[in-house]
Amino acid sequence: MDVFWALLLCVHFLTAVQASGEHHSLSVSVPHRNYECPEGANVTLKCIQSGSKAYPKDKLWSTWLFTPRSKDRCHKGEHPRGSSHTNRSLGVEYISGEKIFSIFLQTVKHKDQGKYCCLLVDFHDKHKEEQEAHETIYLTVVPTNANTRNGSLKCSEWSHIPSDDSVAEGLAIAACVAFILCLPLILMLVYRQRQTVERHRRSHELVRMDSEAQAHENPVFLGDSPQPKPRTVSQIMMRQSSETGRHLLSDPGTPLSPNIQGEMFFPAQDPIPESPNLLD
């Protein structure tokens, strides 16, 4: 029964994964996860679209969100430098291509340090949201050296490392599902192990009882004498079941036991006749 429920759960899980893959095929990736820039440098953060739209006539809308705290989630309405569109006076520019959309920040400052989220939304019929995908990029701003010129200010980039919250949540969910699927098998193995231990314990107990019975039947058994041939558990059980209707020869009333009413070992002798009185 446990195996049946495990298989049923597995089928439902695979069906849900397949449905999720069919309706949420749109995704976003980043070529670099971390950027480190000195103050005053210019930086371009990039995201790459992958997957496809739910319907061919859908429209894709992209934007960037920002939070100065790296551990917080990005919330809609919070944009880099407070602008949701290109604003050259603020030094922010949104760039959209066929598969790549990015944001350009000019002369970064320490207040620009934080978590950037690129958001891609698939709209159907202008108002109905079909799919949504996002990714995160971390920007660190470090103080500049006094001898450094503005033209030599460059940012460092690190390759994509799947260590963000979404990947951790996915791994945790996968581990929970795998544990649930394996739980019936674990319980079955534990049950069989307990049964095996119980059978071994009963076998040892029967062997011990048989050994004690053999020692009782042979009270003059010496340690140097040959050891009795060991018997199997089935032979021991057959012997015990046969002993339930057997009587020892020493029990009274058995067919071969001597009659305790009469003489036991010596035959009865005729009485000795009295000798005649010689005096008569």
Side-chain angles (χ1 to χ4, degrees), residues 237-248:
M237 296 179 67
M238 291 176 63
R239 178 180 180 276
Q240 290 181 349
S241 61
S242 63
E243 285 181 350
T244 57
R246 192 182 69 181
H247 298 280
L248 296 176

Side-chain angles (χ1 to χ4, degrees), residues 93-112:
E93 182 180 356
Y94 289 82
I95 305 172
S96 297
E98 183 178 357
K99 291 290 183 179
I100 299 176
F101 58 102
S102 57
I103 184 172
F104 173 75
L105 299 177
Q106 184 179 12
T107 313
V108 296
K109 300 179 181 179
H110 188 267
K111 64 180 181 179
D112 295 319

Side-chain angles (χ1 to χ4, degrees), residues 35-154:
Y35 291 79
E36 182 177 302
C37 300
E39 287 184 317
N42 301 329
V43 62
T44 301
L45 310 179
K46 296 180 180 181
C47 281
I48 302 174
Q49 171 195 341
S50 58
S52 59
K53 298 180 291 185
Y55 301 96
K57 295 184 179 181
D58 289 355
K59 300 295 182 180
L60 295 179
W61 175 76
S62 62
T63 189
W64 286 83
L65 305 175
F66 170 75
T67 175
R69 293 169 293 276
S70 299
K71 295 183 179 180
D72 292 351
R73 295 180 178 272
C74 295
H75 298 283
K76 293 183 178 181
E78 299 179 358
H79 301 281
R81 297 184 178 178
S83 177
S84 60
H85 57 277
T86 298
N87 190 332
R88 299 188 183 278
S89 61
L90 296 177
V92 57
E93 182 180 356
Y94 289 82
I95 305 172
S96 297
E98 183 178 357
K99 291 290 183 179
I100 299 176
F101 58 102
S102 57
I103 184 172
F104 173 75
L105 299 177
Q106 184 179 12
T107 313
V108 296
K109 300 179 181 179
H110 188 267
K111 64 180 181 179
D112 295 319
Q113 176 174 292
K115 182 178 180 180
Y116 290 79
C117 302
C118 55
L119 178 64
L120 187 62
V121 184
D122 179 8
F123 282 101
H124 183 66
D125 293 336
K126 296 182 180 181
H127 300 290
K128 183 180 179 182
E129 181 178 326
E130 290 290 338
Q131 303 180 80
E132 179 181 311
H134 70 278
E135 264 293 354
T136 56
I137 296 176
Y138 299 92
L139 174 63
T140 303
V141 180
V142 297
T144 57
N145 191 351
N147 298 325
T148 303
R149 297 180 181 179
N150 292 337
S152 61
L153 296 176
K154 294 183 179 181

